[in-house]
Structures are given as structure tokens and as C-alpha cells.
Amino acid sequence: MAYVTRNAAGATVRIPECRGLFQYGDGMDRDPRYAADCENACTAQGVLRPVAACRLLAPRTPAPIQTLARLYRRWYAPDGQHEVLVAAAGGQLYWMLPGDGHWKRLDMPYGWDQTRYLSDVWSWAAYEINVENRDAPVDVLLMSNAQDGMICIRGDTMAVSAIATPKKFGVIARYAERIWGGGIPDDPDMLVYSAPYDPYDWSANEEIPEDGAGDVLQPSWDGDSFTALTPFGSQLIAMKKTRVWRVLGTDPGTYVFKEQYGGGTACAQTVAVDTSRILMLGREGVLCYDGESVVPFQPECARRVFDRINPDALHEAAACLWKGTYYCALALDGSPTNNAVLMFNTRENTWLVRTDTAVESFLPTEDALYFTSAQTPGRIWLWQEDCMTGGQAQPMRWQSGWYSLEAPQLIKRDFRVYLCVDCPREASIRLTLETESRAKSKTVSFRPGARQRCVPFALRGRRFRLTLESAGETPWQLLGGLQIDMDTEEDA
């Protein structure tokens, strides 16, 4: 086994870096860089440390936020006020500049019959419109749900207007300069598209069809409905719970619809594009669409986490991709709401899970990741991850797999754990070394200065594993990984 050396008198296990979860098989004598189990750990660049506490932002809406959206105003906005957050709560829409002190309610569309919207769950897409007497297009936020239909929020005036569409869409997306809509309750197999460059124009053009709007049917004859529309490079991916279609072409004369292999996703809110693939949550783990088929994605890495998912709360799952990491909020251990976040770092190919925060929905932006939580209705949070760059450290646990050194006939004894901890002020770490017969724990305090420490454990056994835990708020990180030395003897 790599990272293990043995001689006549003893053995050494080196863990030069930490690489996240690997939960395949029985976990015996696996690569020691990977954890058999961990919570609230961060391993960016292979350095183990606790995650940082997320930050609760001050503004509150009068009711729980069900949708959080973003509008970026390229023009017609004062300097420093280009980004706008939009929240749906209690049948109303609110907007706020990031860092502002309060939400402002958006007026209902002119001529709207009701004083509140019927649903707070909206699908949204950023677009632009041409306005008379304006030198540049006006950035807009299009929002739609299957009960209220589609509305448009103008970035220059923050005025809201209704858009007359042939159907009321539960999901929308922008593709090839058209707005596409699906998730239609009375037409589950239908996709509708607008005229190009005009989200207000949903009429067909008899003379020049490519300049008009239209619709297509992709029946599956099982009542399944389109639940997600995702632009993916030069194509549009239309997903149902059990099927996936790929839409190619830029106008009705060139559209090609092709059903893909492997099925769809039951969790539409977990779909996220990662360069040349799409990640999403399935019933038994994360799925990947690679442009041809939908297949399970690295199921061996977080297998025990997937086994803990509450199948009755899959509809609560939500995910996004932000700065190279896929964040997926899950309901574990029978919880009716999300109580953990599974994190897959696409750049380092590592899986981790944090249980210190409950996420209801994500909103990734260029500079920040926002989220809502059922535990704090009407508030939004700012995601924080690395305790060494800001924020209080959260309680953390990292547990290795079991190691027999591929020599179960050897008795391992008198263990010495070497580690070096970097911390801005005194921090305490609890180390537990366990054999098949017993376990011992020691709490070690570290002071600033990053000095190497040796922690001895007078234990005997044929196999062993190590657990690191911390409960304090002081940030800390391992430098140079870990090393476990031990004496060995043949079984008498």
C-alpha cells in the first residue's frame, strides 16, 4: 500500500495531504489521504481544517423566502449598484442591493387582478429588451411559475409588467436568443419558445417561421412533465423525471430533438452545469450527463452519505455550482428538510459534507454565494467555507479508514502520532486512536508558532484507525499532514 513503510521493528503510515471522502467497500487499507467519514472539514489544496461558520445577513422579509434570484444591470444603474437580489416571499416580490440594509417591495404588474402572487416558487432567467429612446438594451429579470404565469422586472426602473404567454410555465430558460418554457400542468409534454430577441412576442410568424414563436411536443405517455430546462453549450437540455432530451439548432427550421440515455432527474432544483457535463441529484446519488447519457457519478466516494438521504424529502434538495464546487443541500437521517450540504470540488475531485448549516435554496453570483434556510425564515445567508480566511471555525470531525497494513498477522502497538498545527491563537484538537479491542482519546492544545507535536498511544491491535475532532471556534489547519509510527511484532 502506498504511503506505508515497514521494517523488522515497526511501521509508518504517512498522510501527506487530505483528500475528502472515499466510502467504497469495507474501507480497509484504503489510500490514507481519504477519510472514511468526516463532517465540517475543508481540504482545499490538501490542507485539513474546519469549515467557517456562514454569515447571517441582517435584512428580513415579512414571510419566508421561497425564491432568491439575481439581476445584473449593465446599464442604467449607478456605480456600485449593478447587482440586484430579488426575493419571493408571502405572495410578494422584494429587491435589495447586496450589502443594503433592507428589502424594498416591488409593485404588482399594472392591471394585475390580485394583490399578491399565487406562488412564491418561481423559475427565472436574465435577459434584455430594447426600449424606445434608450441608447442601450435594458437588462431584465424574467420570472414564471405555473400559477401566475410570466412577469418581467426592468433593471432601469424596477417596474414589473405581465407577459402574455400561450401557457403558464413552471420552468423557463434562455436558449439561442429565445425564451423557452415548460412544466405546463395541463400540457406536460409541451415546450414553448418565444420569438427571437423578444420575450414579449409569443405569436407564430406564418411567412417567416424562424422569426416567430412556436411549440413542440415530446410525449412520454406516462404523465411525466418537463421539470428543468438547462442551456448546455450550443444546446438546450430538457429534463423530465425519467427522461432527457437534447435540443439542437437555432431556429424552428433547424431544431433537432433527440432523447438521451439513462433517464432524467427527480430533483430539478439540483441541476447545475459544470463545463462539459451537468451534475444533478438522483434517488441514489449524484448523476452526471456528459452530452450523451445520464449515469451515476462517482458513487463510491460518498456512498454512506447517499445511504442516509431521506427519500421522502428528495423534493427539498437544492444545488448549485460556484467557483468550481458543486454544492448539494440534502435531508439526511430522516429529516423532513435539508440539514446537510454535500460538496464536490470539481477541480480537486474531492467530496466533503457539512452538517452545521441547513440550506433551502442557493444563489451563486460572481463574488458571493447566498442561500436561504428554513431555520431562519425571511433571512438570507452568505456562504463561508475556509476558517483560515475568515469566520469562526465550526465543530469538525475527520476519521480515517481501518488499517492492518495488509498484514493482519502483525500486532501493532505503541503508536505515535506526529502532527503540526498552525493557528492564530491557542486551539485544541482531540485525537482518538482505536484498535479492534479498545480506543484512547487525548486532547492536545496548540499555540501559535506551528510546532511539531508527538502524541503517544499505548494500544495494541491488529488494525487501527485515527479520528481528529475539534469543537472550538479558533481557526486551525494541519501543516504537512500526519504521520503515524508504531512498533510491530509477529503473532505468537
Side-chain angles (χ1 to χ4, degrees), residues 293-324:
S293 60
V294 177
V295 296
F297 183 67
Q298 299 186 10
E300 68 281 0
C301 291
R303 180 72 273 158
R304 295 177 203 167
V305 177
F306 298 143
D307 291 342
R308 295 165 57 192
I309 295 176
N310 179 7
D312 296 329
L314 272 177
H315 62 281
E316 298 285 342
C320 74
L321 190 88
W322 184 65
K323 292 191 175 181

PDB file of all heavy atoms in Angstrom, residues 293-324:
ATOM      1  N   SER A 293     -25.469  10.648 -22.273  1.00  0.00           N
ATOM      2  CA  SER A 293     -26.261   9.813 -21.373  1.00  0.00           C
ATOM      3  C   SER A 293     -26.140  10.312 -19.940  1.00  0.00           C
ATOM      4  O   SER A 293     -25.229  11.069 -19.595  1.00  0.00           O
ATOM      5  CB  SER A 293     -25.795   8.348 -21.462  1.00  0.00           C
ATOM      6  OG  SER A 293     -24.432   8.244 -21.089  1.00  0.00           O
ATOM      7  N   VAL A 294     -27.091   9.860 -19.116  1.00  0.00           N
ATOM      8  CA  VAL A 294     -27.101  10.178 -17.684  1.00  0.00           C
ATOM      9  C   VAL A 294     -26.654   8.935 -16.927  1.00  0.00           C
ATOM     10  O   VAL A 294     -27.263   7.867 -17.057  1.00  0.00           O
ATOM     11  CB  VAL A 294     -28.502  10.614 -17.218  1.00  0.00           C
ATOM     12  CG1 VAL A 294     -28.500  10.877 -15.715  1.00  0.00           C
ATOM     13  CG2 VAL A 294     -28.947  11.865 -17.977  1.00  0.00           C
ATOM     14  N   VAL A 295     -25.575   9.057 -16.151  1.00  0.00           N
ATOM     15  CA  VAL A 295     -25.019   7.912 -15.436  1.00  0.00           C
ATOM     16  C   VAL A 295     -24.692   8.311 -13.997  1.00  0.00           C
ATOM     17  O   VAL A 295     -24.503   9.496 -13.697  1.00  0.00           O
ATOM     18  CB  VAL A 295     -23.732   7.397 -16.131  1.00  0.00           C
ATOM     19  CG1 VAL A 295     -24.040   6.865 -17.518  1.00  0.00           C
ATOM     20  CG2 VAL A 295     -22.684   8.505 -16.202  1.00  0.00           C
ATOM     21  N   PRO A 296     -24.622   7.346 -13.067  1.00  0.00           N
ATOM     22  CA  PRO A 296     -24.178   7.653 -11.696  1.00  0.00           C
ATOM     23  C   PRO A 296     -22.782   8.249 -11.708  1.00  0.00           C
ATOM     24  O   PRO A 296     -21.913   7.820 -12.480  1.00  0.00           O
ATOM     25  CB  PRO A 296     -24.211   6.295 -10.991  1.00  0.00           C
ATOM     26  CG  PRO A 296     -25.196   5.486 -11.778  1.00  0.00           C
ATOM     27  CD  PRO A 296     -25.049   5.933 -13.205  1.00  0.00           C
ATOM     28  N   PHE A 297     -22.558   9.231 -10.833  1.00  0.00           N
ATOM     29  CA  PHE A 297     -21.297   9.960 -10.820  1.00  0.00           C
ATOM     30  C   PHE A 297     -20.524   9.663  -9.546  1.00  0.00           C
ATOM     31  O   PHE A 297     -20.944  10.029  -8.452  1.00  0.00           O
ATOM     32  CB  PHE A 297     -21.558  11.462 -10.932  1.00  0.00           C
ATOM     33  CG  PHE A 297     -20.310  12.295 -11.004  1.00  0.00           C
ATOM     34  CD1 PHE A 297     -19.471  12.220 -12.099  1.00  0.00           C
ATOM     35  CD2 PHE A 297     -19.973  13.152  -9.974  1.00  0.00           C
ATOM     36  CE1 PHE A 297     -18.314  12.983 -12.173  1.00  0.00           C
ATOM     37  CE2 PHE A 297     -18.826  13.919 -10.027  1.00  0.00           C
ATOM     38  CZ  PHE A 297     -17.994  13.832 -11.135  1.00  0.00           C
ATOM     39  N   GLN A 298     -19.416   8.958  -9.662  1.00  0.00           N
ATOM     40  CA  GLN A 298     -18.526   8.619  -8.548  1.00  0.00           C
ATOM     41  C   GLN A 298     -19.310   8.151  -7.311  1.00  0.00           C
ATOM     42  O   GLN A 298     -19.148   8.701  -6.213  1.00  0.00           O
ATOM     43  CB  GLN A 298     -17.648   9.824  -8.194  1.00  0.00           C
ATOM     44  CG  GLN A 298     -16.747  10.275  -9.329  1.00  0.00           C
ATOM     45  CD  GLN A 298     -15.773  11.369  -8.923  1.00  0.00           C
ATOM     46  OE1 GLN A 298     -15.625  11.694  -7.752  1.00  0.00           O
ATOM     47  NE2 GLN A 298     -15.087  11.953  -9.900  1.00  0.00           N
ATOM     48  N   PRO A 299     -20.157   7.136  -7.457  1.00  0.00           N
ATOM     49  CA  PRO A 299     -20.996   6.714  -6.325  1.00  0.00           C
ATOM     50  C   PRO A 299     -20.209   6.158  -5.150  1.00  0.00           C
ATOM     51  O   PRO A 299     -20.714   6.107  -4.022  1.00  0.00           O
ATOM     52  CB  PRO A 299     -21.890   5.638  -6.954  1.00  0.00           C
ATOM     53  CG  PRO A 299     -21.100   5.119  -8.109  1.00  0.00           C
ATOM     54  CD  PRO A 299     -20.353   6.300  -8.652  1.00  0.00           C
ATOM     55  N   GLU A 300     -18.961   5.723  -5.401  1.00  0.00           N
ATOM     56  CA  GLU A 300     -18.183   5.111  -4.329  1.00  0.00           C
ATOM     57  C   GLU A 300     -17.655   6.122  -3.315  1.00  0.00           C
ATOM     58  O   GLU A 300     -17.308   5.757  -2.189  1.00  0.00           O
ATOM     59  CB  GLU A 300     -17.000   4.334  -4.917  1.00  0.00           C
ATOM     60  CG  GLU A 300     -15.921   5.195  -5.567  1.00  0.00           C
ATOM     61  CD  GLU A 300     -16.248   5.674  -6.965  1.00  0.00           C
ATOM     62  OE1 GLU A 300     -17.341   5.337  -7.457  1.00  0.00           O
ATOM     63  OE2 GLU A 300     -15.426   6.394  -7.566  1.00  0.00           O
ATOM     64  N   CYS A 301     -17.594   7.394  -3.680  1.00  0.00           N
ATOM     65  CA  CYS A 301     -16.928   8.367  -2.809  1.00  0.00           C
ATOM     66  C   CYS A 301     -17.763   8.749  -1.584  1.00  0.00           C
ATOM     67  O   CYS A 301     -17.249   8.816  -0.472  1.00  0.00           O
ATOM     68  CB  CYS A 301     -16.575   9.617  -3.613  1.00  0.00           C
ATOM     69  SG  CYS A 301     -15.276   9.321  -4.838  1.00  0.00           S
ATOM     70  N   ALA A 302     -19.038   9.032  -1.785  1.00  0.00           N
ATOM     71  CA  ALA A 302     -19.891   9.464  -0.671  1.00  0.00           C
ATOM     72  C   ALA A 302     -21.037   8.488  -0.461  1.00  0.00           C
ATOM     73  O   ALA A 302     -22.163   8.883  -0.157  1.00  0.00           O
ATOM     74  CB  ALA A 302     -20.408  10.878  -0.917  1.00  0.00           C
ATOM     75  N   ARG A 303     -20.755   7.186  -0.608  1.00  0.00           N
ATOM     76  CA  ARG A 303     -21.786   6.167  -0.567  1.00  0.00           C
ATOM     77  C   ARG A 303     -22.603   6.206   0.727  1.00  0.00           C
ATOM     78  O   ARG A 303     -23.835   6.107   0.715  1.00  0.00           O
ATOM     79  CB  ARG A 303     -21.138   4.793  -0.734  1.00  0.00           C
ATOM     80  CG  ARG A 303     -22.061   3.585  -0.723  1.00  0.00           C
ATOM     81  CD  ARG A 303     -22.871   3.524  -1.991  1.00  0.00           C
ATOM     82  NE  ARG A 303     -24.106   4.295  -1.912  1.00  0.00           N
ATOM     83  CZ  ARG A 303     -24.754   4.749  -2.968  1.00  0.00           C
ATOM     84  NH1 ARG A 303     -24.267   4.551  -4.177  1.00  0.00           N
ATOM     85  NH2 ARG A 303     -25.871   5.418  -2.830  1.00  0.00           N
ATOM     86  N   ARG A 304     -21.952   6.355   1.861  1.00  0.00           N
ATOM     87  CA  ARG A 304     -22.672   6.331   3.148  1.00  0.00           C
ATOM     88  C   ARG A 304     -23.510   7.588   3.336  1.00  0.00           C
ATOM     89  O   ARG A 304     -24.537   7.558   4.003  1.00  0.00           O
ATOM     90  CB  ARG A 304     -21.678   6.176   4.288  1.00  0.00           C
ATOM     91  CG  ARG A 304     -20.950   4.837   4.273  1.00  0.00           C
ATOM     92  CD  ARG A 304     -19.917   4.760   5.387  1.00  0.00           C
ATOM     93  NE  ARG A 304     -18.887   3.782   5.076  1.00  0.00           N
ATOM     94  CZ  ARG A 304     -17.731   3.670   5.724  1.00  0.00           C
ATOM     95  NH1 ARG A 304     -17.469   4.520   6.711  1.00  0.00           N
ATOM     96  NH2 ARG A 304     -16.857   2.760   5.377  1.00  0.00           N
ATOM     97  N   VAL A 305     -23.079   8.694   2.744  1.00  0.00           N
ATOM     98  CA  VAL A 305     -23.895   9.909   2.784  1.00  0.00           C
ATOM     99  C   VAL A 305     -25.166   9.694   1.984  1.00  0.00           C
ATOM    100  O   VAL A 305     -26.274  10.025   2.431  1.00  0.00           O
ATOM    101  CB  VAL A 305     -23.111  11.113   2.241  1.00  0.00           C
ATOM    102  CG1 VAL A 305     -23.992  12.364   2.223  1.00  0.00           C
ATOM    103  CG2 VAL A 305     -21.871  11.363   3.087  1.00  0.00           C
ATOM    104  N   PHE A 306     -25.048   9.114   0.784  1.00  0.00           N
ATOM    105  CA  PHE A 306     -26.226   8.847  -0.039  1.00  0.00           C
ATOM    106  C   PHE A 306     -27.187   7.891   0.658  1.00  0.00           C
ATOM    107  O   PHE A 306     -28.405   8.022   0.540  1.00  0.00           O
ATOM    108  CB  PHE A 306     -25.809   8.269  -1.390  1.00  0.00           C
ATOM    109  CG  PHE A 306     -24.953   9.193  -2.209  1.00  0.00           C
ATOM    110  CD1 PHE A 306     -23.913   8.705  -2.984  1.00  0.00           C
ATOM    111  CD2 PHE A 306     -25.183  10.563  -2.207  1.00  0.00           C
ATOM    112  CE1 PHE A 306     -23.123   9.549  -3.744  1.00  0.00           C
ATOM    113  CE2 PHE A 306     -24.391  11.421  -2.959  1.00  0.00           C
ATOM    114  CZ  PHE A 306     -23.365  10.913  -3.725  1.00  0.00           C
ATOM    115  N   ASP A 307     -26.639   6.919   1.389  1.00  0.00           N
ATOM    116  CA  ASP A 307     -27.495   5.960   2.093  1.00  0.00           C
ATOM    117  C   ASP A 307     -28.317   6.623   3.200  1.00  0.00           C
ATOM    118  O   ASP A 307     -29.334   6.068   3.622  1.00  0.00           O
ATOM    119  CB  ASP A 307     -26.647   4.840   2.695  1.00  0.00           C
ATOM    120  CG  ASP A 307     -26.042   3.924   1.629  1.00  0.00           C
ATOM    121  OD1 ASP A 307     -26.542   3.939   0.490  1.00  0.00           O
ATOM    122  OD2 ASP A 307     -25.064   3.209   1.943  1.00  0.00           O
ATOM    123  N   ARG A 308     -27.873   7.783   3.658  1.00  0.00           N
ATOM    124  CA  ARG A 308     -28.581   8.479   4.741  1.00  0.00           C
ATOM    125  C   ARG A 308     -29.666   9.436   4.233  1.00  0.00           C
ATOM    126  O   ARG A 308     -30.409  10.020   5.018  1.00  0.00           O
ATOM    127  CB  ARG A 308     -27.575   9.273   5.573  1.00  0.00           C
ATOM    128  CG  ARG A 308     -26.569   8.410   6.310  1.00  0.00           C
ATOM    129  CD  ARG A 308     -25.390   9.238   6.804  1.00  0.00           C
ATOM    130  NE  ARG A 308     -25.803  10.330   7.660  1.00  0.00           N
ATOM    131  CZ  ARG A 308     -25.000  11.336   8.035  1.00  0.00           C
ATOM    132  NH1 ARG A 308     -23.743  11.369   7.578  1.00  0.00           N
ATOM    133  NH2 ARG A 308     -25.439  12.284   8.828  1.00  0.00           N
ATOM    134  N   ILE A 309     -29.778   9.614   2.899  1.00  0.00           N
ATOM    135  CA  ILE A 309     -30.756  10.556   2.353  1.00  0.00           C
ATOM    136  C   ILE A 309     -32.172  10.083   2.649  1.00  0.00           C
ATOM    137  O   ILE A 309     -32.496   8.904   2.493  1.00  0.00           O
ATOM    138  CB  ILE A 309     -30.560  10.710   0.835  1.00  0.00           C
ATOM    139  CG1 ILE A 309     -29.206  11.357   0.533  1.00  0.00           C
ATOM    140  CG2 ILE A 309     -31.675  11.536   0.216  1.00  0.00           C
ATOM    141  CD1 ILE A 309     -28.896  11.464  -0.940  1.00  0.00           C
ATOM    142  N   ASN A 310     -33.012  11.025   3.078  1.00  0.00           N
ATOM    143  CA  ASN A 310     -34.430  10.732   3.300  1.00  0.00           C
ATOM    144  C   ASN A 310     -35.145  10.755   1.949  1.00  0.00           C
ATOM    145  O   ASN A 310     -35.310  11.818   1.356  1.00  0.00           O
ATOM    146  CB  ASN A 310     -35.044  11.762   4.239  1.00  0.00           C
ATOM    147  CG  ASN A 310     -36.527  11.529   4.487  1.00  0.00           C
ATOM    148  OD1 ASN A 310     -37.089  10.516   4.061  1.00  0.00           O
ATOM    149  ND2 ASN A 310     -37.168  12.451   5.179  1.00  0.00           N
ATOM    150  N   PRO A 311     -35.592   9.604   1.414  1.00  0.00           N
ATOM    151  CA  PRO A 311     -36.209   9.593   0.081  1.00  0.00           C
ATOM    152  C   PRO A 311     -37.505  10.391   0.024  1.00  0.00           C
ATOM    153  O   PRO A 311     -37.891  10.858  -1.055  1.00  0.00           O
ATOM    154  CB  PRO A 311     -36.442   8.101  -0.189  1.00  0.00           C
ATOM    155  CG  PRO A 311     -36.466   7.460   1.164  1.00  0.00           C
ATOM    156  CD  PRO A 311     -35.534   8.261   2.013  1.00  0.00           C
ATOM    157  N   ASP A 312     -38.167  10.552   1.165  1.00  0.00           N
ATOM    158  CA  ASP A 312     -39.419  11.306   1.183  1.00  0.00           C
ATOM    159  C   ASP A 312     -39.191  12.812   1.140  1.00  0.00           C
ATOM    160  O   ASP A 312     -40.150  13.574   1.003  1.00  0.00           O
ATOM    161  CB  ASP A 312     -40.227  10.953   2.436  1.00  0.00           C
ATOM    162  CG  ASP A 312     -40.658   9.494   2.459  1.00  0.00           C
ATOM    163  OD1 ASP A 312     -40.883   8.936   1.356  1.00  0.00           O
ATOM    164  OD2 ASP A 312     -40.752   8.907   3.547  1.00  0.00           O
ATOM    165  N   ALA A 313     -37.939  13.245   1.261  1.00  0.00           N
ATOM    166  CA  ALA A 313     -37.631  14.681   1.240  1.00  0.00           C
ATOM    167  C   ALA A 313     -36.733  15.049   0.066  1.00  0.00           C
ATOM    168  O   ALA A 313     -36.119  16.114   0.071  1.00  0.00           O
ATOM    169  CB  ALA A 313     -36.963  15.096   2.558  1.00  0.00           C
ATOM    170  N   LEU A 314     -36.688  14.191  -0.975  1.00  0.00           N
ATOM    171  CA  LEU A 314     -35.859  14.493  -2.137  1.00  0.00           C
ATOM    172  C   LEU A 314     -36.294  15.783  -2.826  1.00  0.00           C
ATOM    173  O   LEU A 314     -35.478  16.491  -3.417  1.00  0.00           O
ATOM    174  CB  LEU A 314     -35.901  13.339  -3.135  1.00  0.00           C
ATOM    175  CG  LEU A 314     -34.871  12.221  -2.954  1.00  0.00           C
ATOM    176  CD1 LEU A 314     -35.103  11.119  -3.968  1.00  0.00           C
ATOM    177  CD2 LEU A 314     -33.456  12.762  -3.067  1.00  0.00           C
ATOM    178  N   HIS A 315     -37.600  16.081  -2.758  1.00  0.00           N
ATOM    179  CA  HIS A 315     -38.098  17.300  -3.404  1.00  0.00           C
ATOM    180  C   HIS A 315     -37.557  18.556  -2.738  1.00  0.00           C
ATOM    181  O   HIS A 315     -37.649  19.650  -3.305  1.00  0.00           O
ATOM    182  CB  HIS A 315     -39.627  17.319  -3.391  1.00  0.00           C
ATOM    183  CG  HIS A 315     -40.203  17.321  -2.002  1.00  0.00           C
ATOM    184  ND1 HIS A 315     -40.295  16.173  -1.233  1.00  0.00           N
ATOM    185  CD2 HIS A 315     -40.699  18.326  -1.242  1.00  0.00           C
ATOM    186  CE1 HIS A 315     -40.830  16.474  -0.058  1.00  0.00           C
ATOM    187  NE2 HIS A 315     -41.084  17.769  -0.035  1.00  0.00           N
ATOM    188  N   GLU A 316     -36.998  18.433  -1.539  1.00  0.00           N
ATOM    189  CA  GLU A 316     -36.428  19.582  -0.840  1.00  0.00           C
ATOM    190  C   GLU A 316     -34.995  19.875  -1.283  1.00  0.00           C
ATOM    191  O   GLU A 316     -34.475  20.969  -1.021  1.00  0.00           O
ATOM    192  CB  GLU A 316     -36.428  19.327   0.675  1.00  0.00           C
ATOM    193  CG  GLU A 316     -37.797  19.133   1.294  1.00  0.00           C
ATOM    194  CD  GLU A 316     -38.563  20.437   1.417  1.00  0.00           C
ATOM    195  OE1 GLU A 316     -37.927  21.512   1.353  1.00  0.00           O
ATOM    196  OE2 GLU A 316     -39.794  20.392   1.572  1.00  0.00           O
ATOM    197  N   ALA A 317     -34.340  18.930  -1.946  1.00  0.00           N
ATOM    198  CA  ALA A 317     -32.934  19.087  -2.307  1.00  0.00           C
ATOM    199  C   ALA A 317     -32.737  20.276  -3.239  1.00  0.00           C
ATOM    200  O   ALA A 317     -33.590  20.597  -4.069  1.00  0.00           O
ATOM    201  CB  ALA A 317     -32.415  17.811  -2.958  1.00  0.00           C
ATOM    202  N   ALA A 318     -31.596  20.946  -3.089  1.00  0.00           N
ATOM    203  CA  ALA A 318     -31.246  22.096  -3.932  1.00  0.00           C
ATOM    204  C   ALA A 318     -29.746  22.100  -4.130  1.00  0.00           C
ATOM    205  O   ALA A 318     -28.989  21.663  -3.257  1.00  0.00           O
ATOM    206  CB  ALA A 318     -31.706  23.400  -3.282  1.00  0.00           C
ATOM    207  N   ALA A 319     -29.298  22.599  -5.288  1.00  0.00           N
ATOM    208  CA  ALA A 319     -27.859  22.573  -5.578  1.00  0.00           C
ATOM    209  C   ALA A 319     -27.477  23.718  -6.499  1.00  0.00           C
ATOM    210  O   ALA A 319     -28.327  24.349  -7.130  1.00  0.00           O
ATOM    211  CB  ALA A 319     -27.459  21.233  -6.198  1.00  0.00           C
ATOM    212  N   CYS A 320     -26.173  23.964  -6.559  1.00  0.00           N
ATOM    213  CA  CYS A 320     -25.624  24.953  -7.486  1.00  0.00           C
ATOM    214  C   CYS A 320     -24.151  24.649  -7.690  1.00  0.00           C
ATOM    215  O   CYS A 320     -23.552  23.851  -6.947  1.00  0.00           O
ATOM    216  CB  CYS A 320     -25.802  26.381  -6.946  1.00  0.00           C
ATOM    217  SG  CYS A 320     -24.669  26.799  -5.588  1.00  0.00           S
ATOM    218  N   LEU A 321     -23.553  25.281  -8.687  1.00  0.00           N
ATOM    219  CA  LEU A 321     -22.109  25.221  -8.900  1.00  0.00           C
ATOM    220  C   LEU A 321     -21.563  26.617  -8.698  1.00  0.00           C
ATOM    221  O   LEU A 321     -22.035  27.574  -9.317  1.00  0.00           O
ATOM    222  CB  LEU A 321     -21.777  24.724 -10.309  1.00  0.00           C
ATOM    223  CG  LEU A 321     -20.298  24.418 -10.493  1.00  0.00           C
ATOM    224  CD1 LEU A 321     -20.009  22.974 -10.093  1.00  0.00           C
ATOM    225  CD2 LEU A 321     -19.859  24.642 -11.919  1.00  0.00           C
ATOM    226  N   TRP A 322     -20.569  26.746  -7.812  1.00  0.00           N
ATOM    227  CA  TRP A 322     -19.981  28.054  -7.524  1.00  0.00           C
ATOM    228  C   TRP A 322     -18.485  27.905  -7.322  1.00  0.00           C
ATOM    229  O   TRP A 322     -18.040  27.109  -6.497  1.00  0.00           O
ATOM    230  CB  TRP A 322     -20.624  28.668  -6.284  1.00  0.00           C
ATOM    231  CG  TRP A 322     -20.139  30.053  -5.974  1.00  0.00           C
ATOM    232  CD1 TRP A 322     -20.310  31.171  -6.733  1.00  0.00           C
ATOM    233  CD2 TRP A 322     -19.410  30.469  -4.807  1.00  0.00           C
ATOM    234  NE1 TRP A 322     -19.734  32.260  -6.120  1.00  0.00           N
ATOM    235  CE2 TRP A 322     -19.177  31.871  -4.940  1.00  0.00           C
ATOM    236  CE3 TRP A 322     -18.949  29.817  -3.673  1.00  0.00           C
ATOM    237  CZ2 TRP A 322     -18.487  32.590  -3.976  1.00  0.00           C
ATOM    238  CZ3 TRP A 322     -18.252  30.550  -2.715  1.00  0.00           C
ATOM    239  CH2 TRP A 322     -18.042  31.926  -2.871  1.00  0.00           C
ATOM    240  N   LYS A 323     -17.730  28.623  -8.128  1.00  0.00           N
ATOM    241  CA  LYS A 323     -16.272  28.628  -8.052  1.00  0.00           C
ATOM    242  C   LYS A 323     -15.686  27.220  -8.047  1.00  0.00           C
ATOM    243  O   LYS A 323     -14.804  26.880  -7.261  1.00  0.00           O
ATOM    244  CB  LYS A 323     -15.802  29.410  -6.822  1.00  0.00           C
ATOM    245  CG  LYS A 323     -16.080  30.899  -6.934  1.00  0.00           C
ATOM    246  CD  LYS A 323     -15.395  31.705  -5.848  1.00  0.00           C
ATOM    247  CE  LYS A 323     -15.597  33.204  -6.063  1.00  0.00           C
ATOM    248  NZ  LYS A 323     -14.918  34.025  -5.041  1.00  0.00           N
ATOM    249  N   GLY A 324     -16.217  26.395  -8.946  1.00  0.00           N
ATOM    250  CA  GLY A 324     -15.656  25.067  -9.146  1.00  0.00           C
ATOM    251  C   GLY A 324     -16.122  24.009  -8.180  1.00  0.00           C
ATOM    252  O   GLY A 324     -15.643  22.876  -8.238  1.00  0.00           O
TER     253      GLY A 324
END
